[in-house]
Amino acid sequence: MPELLIFEYKLLRSSISEMHTTLERWGRIMLPLSAAILVVAVNYIETLPTIAVIFLIFLSGATIAIWRLTGYYTAHGRMNMVERLQYLAKKISPVEAQEIFDQQAIESLHSPRGFLRFLSYKRLFDIFGLLHIATGIAIIIVKFTYFDV
């Protein structure tokens, strides 16, 4: 029975690590893609029809929204796994737990922080997403104000 608990514990630890790398991979794909769509909208703001600019901004915002929803899904799954991990750590004997259990690592998994003490990575990414969407709205306003006659 203790071997199964240890096996499940190790499996959960690797799954949590894999979820973190999955989120990083999504960020490496979605952020440049969304930025490229915004660049196309800005470069062709004068020549494209208004509806095309609006469509590009919507596409860029949707890309950011999908990235953030993926982040929320990953954070929720990670939180559930960390709770299960803490439950398993309590069931494993103290001697066996010393070999595989690192309390500081579990605490860092439970509440990841950004480079600022009062902001988590999740909040920083949310702020970035909102700024990205606000930039898209500003591009639409510029298109309506300066290039439509």
Side-chain angles (χ1 to χ4, degrees):
M1 185 67 165
E3 293 84 18
L4 289 175
L5 291 176
I6 292 171
F7 177 73
E8 184 180 359
Y9 182 87
K10 289 180 179 181
L11 186 64
L12 280 172
R13 289 282 302 253
S14 67
S15 296
I16 290 171
S17 176
E18 185 179 322
M19 288 181 97
H20 184 69
T21 58
T22 300
L23 187 60
E24 287 177 356
R25 279 185 270 148
W26 268 88
R28 282 186 285 213
I29 294 168
M30 301 302 259
L31 293 175
L33 177 63
S34 184
I37 294 168
L38 271 182
V39 166
V40 168
V42 169
N43 282 339
Y44 297 103
I45 195 168
E46 190 174 351
T47 57
L48 283 177
T50 303
I51 193 70
V53 172
I54 291 172
F55 176 73
L56 286 173
I57 299 303
F58 172 76
L59 188 60
S60 177
T63 305
I64 285 292
I66 289 170
W67 172 61
R68 288 313 307 136
L69 289 174
T70 303
Y72 294 141
Y73 174 76
T74 304
H76 178 71
R78 196 170 102 209
M79 184 181 66
N80 289 339
M81 286 185 183
V82 167
E83 288 173 2
R84 178 69 180 163
L85 208 58
Q86 289 172 338
Y87 171 77
L88 288 174
K90 290 176 186 173
K91 289 199 153 260
I92 297 173
S93 71
V95 174
E96 293 167 334
Q98 282 291 5
E99 296 174 8
I100 61 170
F101 184 66
D102 184 8
Q103 182 65 33
Q104 195 172 29
I106 295 300
E107 289 172 2
S108 69
L109 287 172
H110 191 64
S111 179
R113 289 286 185 189
F115 59 92
L116 300 173
R117 291 185 67 84
F118 56 90
L119 285 176
S120 66
Y121 283 122
K122 180 182 166 221
R123 288 226 170 95
L124 287 172
F125 288 149
D126 289 343
I127 290 169
F128 176 76
L130 288 174
L131 286 174
H132 191 87
I133 291 170
T135 302
I137 292 170
I139 292 170
I140 291 173
I141 291 170
V142 167
K143 174 67 175 170
F144 276 123
T145 306
Y146 294 109
F147 297 109
D148 276 347
V149 177

